[in-house]
Amino acid sequence: MMRIGIDVGGTNTDAALLGDAGEVLAAVKSPTTADVTSGVAGAITALGAADASAVMIGTTHFVNALVEASRLEPVAAVRLGLPATAALPPMVDWPARLREVVRGHDYLCHGGHEYDGTPISDLDPEELKRVAADIAARGLRSVAVSSVFSPVSGEFELRAAEILAAELGPEVHLSLSHEIGRIGLLARENATIVNAALRPLAERTVGAFEDALKTASIVAPLFLSQNDGTLMDLRQAQRYPVATFASGPTNSMRGAAYLSGLTDCAVVDIGGTTTDVGILVGGFPREATGEAELAGVRTNFRIPDVLSLGIGGGSLIAPDGSAGPRSVGYRLTEEALVFGGSTLTATDLAVAAGYAEIGDPSLVAHLDPRAALARIAERVAETVDRMRTSAAPLPVVAVGGGSILIPDGLPGFDEVHRPGHFAVANAVGAAIAQVGGEVDQVFSGARDAMLDEARDKAVSRAERAGARAGSVRIVEVEEIPLAYLPGGATRVRVKAVGDLDLEKINA
């Protein structure tokens, strides 16, 4: 089965073709275009893989929209929890600029559960019908429904969604928090509101990807990669765009593990604008343990633990030799000195130092890049050091087109690997992505029985998502006893992954 992996970044669109045995048959790196379709279609056409069995895409479209506070839909935020939760309304801790764009209206309604599934108050259908009438009157088309402890029991969110859908019609998008976030009401509610605000953009973006495949004459299933390195189909991508927020760094880390053969290491992914540093554990990115902040909004959905640095191949070099955070981005081939431009970039320094042969080296022969490149290496090493959890030796894998900026060793890290096809590791990571299922729930009872139930649920969810039966394995188990709750309550999180079953997908 030949797979195409594509990563659409802010600077470059990378593509890789993997053969039946998992070998990299072809790779392409091209500047990202303003319109998604032509850039992706061009990358696929350049690979020459019309008979590919599947196409996997990672994209930064949705997180960029949130950061820029653009292309977002106003949201009706419906919270089920009265008489509790009234002190802090939805979006209470959002940045003002983003809240002005996204906040349509807030609705506090009865419902919600305690940690053990006991209702806080009964759901009031008439109350929800009045809410639906007000949503319709305001012309809002995206609705986020959040209920207290919905990861324990999603019953009230599902019932509320039925009532709202019946009143508002199929044109209105509904996002339910128990399908998106973890335990923790405000952060889960924030993630759900962000998801609802992105739903219309998700439909347009997915449509653009489908058009790109048609333009390239590719007839194959299309998948998008998620934050945890697993895949989702197009319908899931349209419903849960927040699940793709960190797919870029995740794909790079998974690709780094695959290309280097290392499963436990630090990964330094240097692109055109930023450097992302993460840790691989067992071949998968180490996940953030708590809440993740995106564009100033606290969320708690699955996201890798990544530190970002404003240094990339297109970074502007200041008169004092410092690099970034401003970058020429996709204009690198027009503005960098080695391409005949007039802007001094980090790529120019790497070429002057002999780290890479790009453009015309004679145009930067007059530069002395040693001090500036040493500062870049020091800043990257400091970022890696912040990510390590022990003093044990930690191998580093450098990937991304901008990784030419760092030499074969970093201060404090003598072992730096740069595998073959390092420049398109993100596209390779997308191509090798598997299908996953996760459970994050509060259980009560005997420990073994709780863990067995959680494992079974995670495996079942992975198989329902398209994993081949028999290929699913448990890759992560976490249990946290909740001593402040009675009945031996324990929060259990289990993650399972398996190989994609195209026969199941095509059935």
Side-chain angles (χ1 to χ4, degrees):
M1 180 182 74
M2 291 202 300
R3 297 182 175 194
I4 295 175
I6 300 173
D7 189 90
V8 185
T11 303
N12 291 307
T13 294
D14 300 336
L17 174 65
L18 269 62
D20 294 338
E23 73 279 19
V24 180
L25 300 176
V28 173
K29 179 182 287 288
S30 58
T32 295
T33 55
D35 66 305
V36 180
T37 303
S38 62
V40 173
I44 294 175
T45 302
L47 288 177
D51 56 347
S53 301
V55 179
M56 292 78 170
I57 297 181
T59 179
T60 58
H61 278 73
F62 305 124
V63 69
N64 289 347
L66 183 67
V67 170
E68 297 164 8
S70 65
R71 296 164 287 162
L72 300 174
E73 186 82 6
V75 175
V78 179
R79 181 192 294 172
L80 309 177
L82 290 179
T85 78
L88 297 174
M91 304 178 68
V92 65
D93 57 348
W94 283 43
R97 181 175 70 103
L98 198 56
R99 184 168 56 237
E100 290 173 4
V101 173
V102 175
R103 174 174 261 163
H105 199 69
D106 304 335
Y107 302 92
L108 301 182
C109 302
H110 290 81
H113 290 84
E114 301 288 358
Y115 80 96
D116 59 356
T118 303
I120 295 174
S121 62
D122 291 332
L123 204 67
D124 186 343
E126 295 304 318
E127 180 181 45
L128 289 170
K129 289 179 181 179
R130 292 193 296 272
V131 165
D134 191 69
I135 291 173
R138 295 175 183 272
L140 300 174
R141 299 185 303 152
S142 285
V143 180
V145 181
S146 305
S147 179
V148 179
F149 270 112
S150 62
V152 174
S153 174
E155 175 192 1
F156 284 172
E157 287 188 359
L158 292 170
R159 286 175 55 192
E162 289 179 5
I163 295 169
L164 293 172
E167 296 293 318
L168 294 171
E171 296 81 14
V172 173
H173 303 292
L174 292 167
S175 296
L176 309 183
S177 78
H178 75 277
E179 298 175 344
I180 294 170
R182 295 171 171 167
I183 291 173
L185 176 62
L186 292 181
R188 184 176 72 254
E189 181 179 63
N190 287 346
T192 309
I193 294 171
V194 170
N195 190 78
L198 290 167
R199 286 285 295 274
L201 176 62
E203 293 191 350
R204 296 194 299 272
T205 301
V206 167
F209 288 149
E210 289 180 307
D211 291 341
L213 261 64
K214 292 177 183 176
T215 301
S217 301
I218 297 290
V219 181
L222 174 61
F223 303 89
L224 265 66
S225 53
Q226 301 188 82
N227 301 327
D228 63 353
T230 59
L231 297 170
M232 60 180 173
D233 62 28
L234 298 187
R235 303 290 80 78
Q236 284 180 293
Q238 290 175 330
R239 285 178 57 85
Y240 311 115
V242 292
T244 72
F245 267 24
S247 63
T250 299
N251 286 340
S252 294
M253 285 190 275
R254 290 274 290 142
Y258 184 80
L259 294 171
S260 68
L262 298 174
T263 57
D264 296 273
C265 59
V267 175
V268 177
D269 175 22
I270 306 181
T273 303
T274 59
T275 295
D276 295 320
V277 178
I279 301 294
L280 279 171
V281 180
F284 281 87
R286 184 179 71 194
E287 290 191 8
T289 55
E291 297 173 346
E293 188 170 296
L294 297 166
V297 178
R298 291 187 304 126
T299 64
N300 65 358
F301 53 82
R302 295 175 296 175
I303 195 167
D305 189 8
V306 173
L307 276 180
S308 295
L309 187 64
I311 292 177
S315 293
L316 304 185
I317 305 302
D320 64 356
S322 60
R326 294 177 58 212
S327 169
V328 296
Y330 63 84
R331 301 186 305 276
L332 178 68
T333 55
E334 302 169 7
E335 298 191 14
L337 296 182
V338 291
F339 293 107
S342 58
T343 304
L344 178 60
T345 69
T347 295
D348 297 317
L349 300 180
V351 173
Y355 292 169
E357 295 182 8
I358 299 173
D360 184 353
S362 67
L363 297 176
V364 293
H366 63 286
L367 297 177
D368 182 359
R370 290 172 295 180
L373 287 173
R375 292 177 65 177
I376 289 174
E378 289 173 2
R379 291 183 62 189
V380 172
E382 289 171 2
T383 305
V384 176
D385 199 51
R386 288 175 59 191
M387 294 294 287
R388 68 194 308 171
T389 55
S390 73
L394 181 67
V396 176
V397 180
V399 295
S403 64
I404 58 172
L405 298 179
I406 59 175
D408 294 334
L410 288 173
F413 300 91
D414 295 330
E415 190 180 354
V416 177
H417 302 261
R418 189 175 284 104
H421 302 291
F422 67 89
V424 293
N426 45 7
V428 173
I432 65 170
Q434 295 175 296
V435 180
E438 183 178 285
V439 170
D440 185 357
Q441 190 172 325
V442 176
F443 294 87
S444 296
R447 177 176 179 272
D448 289 345
M450 289 189 299
L451 293 177
D452 287 343
E453 182 181 354
R455 289 190 182 101
D456 290 343
K457 285 186 175 182
V459 170
S460 176
R461 290 181 181 180
E463 292 179 349
R464 287 202 306 271
R468 188 176 68 248
S471 72
V472 181
R473 70 187 193 280
I474 303 297
V475 296
E476 191 173 346
V477 177
E478 181 182 17
E479 49 182 320
I480 305 173
L482 304 179
Y484 54 89
L485 297 178
T490 302
R491 178 181 175 181
V492 179
R493 187 170 71 88
V494 177
K495 178 179 176 181
V497 298
D499 297 330
L500 178 66
D501 187 345
L502 283 176
E503 292 183 1
K504 182 186 296 184
I505 296 296
N506 292 327

